[in-house]
Amino acid sequence: KKIILSGMQPSGILTIGNYLGALKNWVTLQSEYDCLFMVVDLHALTVKQVPADLRSRCLSFSAQYLASGIDPEQSTIFLQSHVSEHAELAWVLNTMAYMGELSRMTQFKDKSQRHEENVNAGLLTYPVLMAADVLLYQANLVPVGSDQKQHLELTRDLAQRFNQRYSETFTVPEPFIPKVGARIMSLQDPTKKMSKSDENPDAYIGILETPEVIRRKIKRAVTDSGTDVRFDETRPGVSNLITIHAALSGKSVQEIEDHFAGKGYGDLKGELAELLVEGLAPIQKRYAELMGDKTGLEQILARGAERARGRARRTLSKVFRKVGLVPAQ
Ligand code: TYM
């Protein structure tokens, strides 16, 4: 079986961007592949966190994975910090990553502009930790939204560099980006991606938000001048709504355009809001059940970490030996 690994940062709340760009695909992949899914809590430390909030968000994100359909019997689900090998491999890879290539990463440039008061070294080496996440498990495929493509390129470069300098060690992974939903845009500025850390909450929809809030946010979504429902790059607002519709309904853009022929933006928004409300309702119900049993949730995470650790250790021991470290007896 091919190996799949992916993760999300427990910052802000999970949005329909995360769901349609990544999580929904994870669920369909798990029966066919050997899957590992993490909550990347160490990555979240690169921005200032309130410790108690981070702690509860890690559990809440895990529950949202499970509620969305990740099956802990089929897939390995765990918290990144529970498997210390991630930080250890990241250190070795840090010594092989160049300042130049890290400082060229668009996400780093972006984040260091937005968090000017806290441009810490972790923000720069963030993609190296991500490479460690992937390479530890010899993952073949990494399902992500298109914003993570550049980080995956770096992961591939680091794997190849290591393999060349020492000997064949890491599987070189491929990104696995969905055709529809790979990039869900902000509802308030459809030229920017929908982000869970946007300061304007009208810009995103969280997967746990109530029907009233979902309907209100869709109603307020910025659309373009024009009236007909047509996918068109010069009209990013309505195009984004069509993309969300397609990712949820499974219909093609063409089918959606035909369906709304002679109708207007209001009709599209009305139907889209109901699609979201209906699509998210079962996830929300299951989420509430999972959060009602914290001990059960913690047990699932403990079992996941246990399974992951053995696999991670095997790769790390190999790496330590190849670079010349003395094995601990
Ligand atoms: P993160 O937490 O920013 O996002 C989690 C996943 O959601 C996707 N995504 C989107 N997809 C479509 N439209 C959007 N508007 C949108 N916003 C986010 C992201 O592409 C991602 O797949 N660095 C990663 C986390 C990470 C990781 C890894 C991923 C750490 N280690 C190893 C894969 C493998 C991140 O910050 O994702």
Side-chain angles (χ1 to χ4, degrees), residues 7 9 17-18 43 126 130 133 144-145 147-148 181-182 184 194 196:
Q9 276 193 82
N18 302 122
H43 276 112
Y126 175 108
M130 176 162 163
D133 296 340
V144 285
D147 61 314
Q148 295 299 315
I184 304 294
M194 180 179 286
K196 49 177 140 63

Side-chain angles (χ1 to χ4, degrees), residues 49 52 74 89 92 111 117 167 265:
Q49 300 284 350
Q74 225 166 22
L89 180 60
V92 175
K111 281 196 183 167
E117 68 305 333
S167 61
Y265 291 167

Side-chain angles (χ1 to χ4, degrees), residues 5-9 15 17-18 20-22 38 40 43 80 107 126 130 133-134 142-148 151-152 181-185 193-196:
L5 176 133
S6 199
M8 300 208 193
Q9 276 193 82
T15 68
N18 302 122
L20 299 173
M38 303 178 290
V40 294
H43 276 112
Q80 183 187 34
Q107 191 168 309
Y126 175 108
M130 176 162 163
D133 296 340
V134 173
V142 182
V144 285
S146 55
D147 61 314
Q148 295 299 315
H151 288 162
L152 247 301
R183 203 168 156 77
I184 304 294
M185 310 308 280
K193 75 162 184 174
M194 180 179 286
S195 165
K196 49 177 140 63

Side-chain angles (χ1 to χ4, degrees), residues 137-210:
Y137 303 97
Q138 311 287 1
N140 304 95
L141 294 171
V142 182
V144 285
S146 55
D147 61 314
Q148 295 299 315
K149 208 171 162 203
Q150 198 184 32
H151 288 162
L152 247 301
E153 271 311 311
L154 182 81
T155 303
R156 290 167 54 84
D157 289 345
L158 289 173
Q160 278 158 345
R161 197 171 297 161
F162 191 99
N163 288 350
Q164 258 157 29
R165 197 177 294 181
Y166 300 98
S167 61
E168 208 50 44
T169 307
F170 293 126
T171 303
V172 181
E174 303 275 349
F176 195 78
I177 297 171
K179 282 196 195 71
V180 188
R183 203 168 156 77
I184 304 294
M185 310 308 280
S186 155
L187 298 178
Q188 290 301 313
D189 175 1
T191 60
K192 286 194 326 199
K193 75 162 184 174
M194 180 179 286
S195 165
K196 49 177 140 63
S197 42
D198 203 302
E199 67 265 359
N200 179 0
D202 279 345
Y204 56 77
I205 291 177
I207 70 173
L208 298 177
E209 282 183 318
T210 62

Side-chain angles (χ1 to χ4, degrees), residues 86-100:
H86 290 254
E88 296 178 77
L89 180 60
W91 176 258
V92 175
L93 296 177
N94 263 329
T95 65
M96 303 182 63
Y98 302 117
M99 293 294 284

